[in-house]
Amino acid sequence: MMLLWVIVLVLVIGVVLGAFKKQGNQKERTPIKGKRILTMNEQPTFLRLKEALPDHIVLAQVAFSAFMTAKGYSTRSLFNRKIADFVVLDQHFNIVAIVELDDSSHKGNEAQDANRDALIAEAGYEVIRYKRTPDIQQIKQDFLKLAS
C-alpha cells in the first residue's frame, strides 16, 4: 500500500511540474510594429544608385534566397536568412552586381562580410562595397569596370 502512495505522489508531482514547465515555455505574443525598409544611411545610397544608373533596375533589401539556391538544407542554411542591401539589374533583369553599404554598423564584422562576399561570388555575382554613400561618378566608374 505504501508503494502505491509513493507512485501516486510521484505522478502528481510530475503532472504539477509539467504544467509549470508548459506555462513557463509559452511565449507571450508581442505586438507587431512596422519599420522602415531602408535605414537612414541606406536611403541616400538607394537614391544615388538610381540616379547614377538610370538604365538599371535597383532593388533594395533582397533576400539571398531570391538570387541563389542550393540543394540540401545544410547548404541553403548558409544564406537563407541573409539580406543584400541592393541588387542592381540590367534591363533584361540579369543581376549586374550586389551592392552593400558598410556603414558603422559593419565595424568588427569584417569576417562576416567576407563570408557573405564568398557566398555571393560562389553564386556567380560581383559585390561592390561602399563605406558611405558613394558619389555618382564613383558608382558609374565601378559599374563601368564590371562591364569591361
Side-chain angles (χ1 to χ4, degrees), residues 80-136:
N80 70 356
R81 297 191 76 190
K82 293 183 177 6
I83 304 289
D85 291 335
F86 307 101
V87 176
V88 179
L89 309 173
D90 65 17
Q91 291 297 314
H92 301 287
F93 294 92
N94 298 309
I95 295 175
V96 177
I98 310 300
V99 177
E100 291 289 327
L101 180 62
D102 292 346
D103 57 14
S104 60
S105 69
H106 284 252
K107 285 188 178 153
N109 295 324
E110 291 80 6
Q112 290 171 323
D113 288 342
N115 181 46
R116 291 167 60 92
D117 289 356
L119 291 170
I120 293 168
E122 185 176 342
Y125 305 116
E126 297 285 336
V127 179
I128 299 173
R129 289 189 170 274
Y130 296 113
K131 293 197 182 297
R132 64 190 63 78
T133 299
D135 60 43
I136 290 174

Side-chain angles (χ1 to χ4, degrees), residues 31-40 42-43 61 83:
I32 296 172
K33 298 179 181 180
K35 69 173 198 165
R36 293 180 178 267
I37 290 177
L38 296 176
T39 66
M40 296 305 281
E42 292 167 337
Q43 291 172 26
Q61 300 300 307
I83 304 289

Side-chain angles (χ1 to χ4, degrees), residues 27-33:
K27 294 181 180 174
E28 187 176 319
R29 189 180 182 292
T30 59
I32 296 172
K33 298 179 181 180

